[in-house]
Amino acid sequence: FEVFQSIDTQGAHDSEHFVVDGTHYLAVAHYYNDATRLIQSIIYVLRRGRFEVFQSIDTVGAIDFEPFEVDGTHYLAASNLHNDVAFSTESTIYVLR
């Protein structure tokens, strides 16, 4: 393999590739940025041969993304681990509109 593209990350813990209607996405879970775990994780979209920011989402020490589809609707689950105080925190499920 050789370098295709570099993207900025903040304590990236996981990345997940998924395809929706022929469009390629890459979700990068950010865990910690040297100050806090209350940071945004980034979803990229592949356009013109490069990954570009599609959406930033608030996460809390994110460690995993899991894309899934139910009856033609696409979802992305963000697993959050730690909120700077405790391991008891909510995770979030997003829907693609």
Side-chain angles (χ1 to χ4, degrees):
F1 288 93
E2 61 184 49
V3 174
F4 169 72
Q5 178 180 348
S6 295
I7 55 176
D8 291 329
T9 60
Q10 298 180 41
H13 204 279
D14 181 58
S15 58
E16 292 288 333
H17 167 262
F18 55 102
V19 179
V20 177
D21 297 328
T23 300
H24 293 261
Y25 296 89
L26 180 67
V28 179
H30 290 161
Y31 177 71
Y32 185 68
N33 70 359
D34 292 330
T36 184
R37 291 172 185 86
L38 309 175
I39 56 177
Q40 293 188 325
S41 292
I42 310 296
I43 303 167
Y44 295 90
V45 62
L46 186 64
R47 290 192 181 124
R48 298 176 294 283
R50 304 289 290 171
F51 282 100
E52 302 174 0
V53 174
F54 174 74
Q55 184 176 358
S56 299
I57 57 174
D58 292 332
T59 52
V60 184
I63 60 166
D64 190 32
F65 276 116
E66 190 65 38
F68 60 98
E69 179 183 352
V70 177
D71 297 328
T73 300
H74 297 272
Y75 299 90
L76 183 64
S79 297
N80 295 312
L81 178 66
H82 196 279
N83 66 5
D84 286 340
V85 176
F87 287 98
S88 180
T89 188
E90 292 183 351
S91 292
T92 309
I93 300 171
Y94 297 90
V95 62
L96 181 64
R97 298 281 180 207

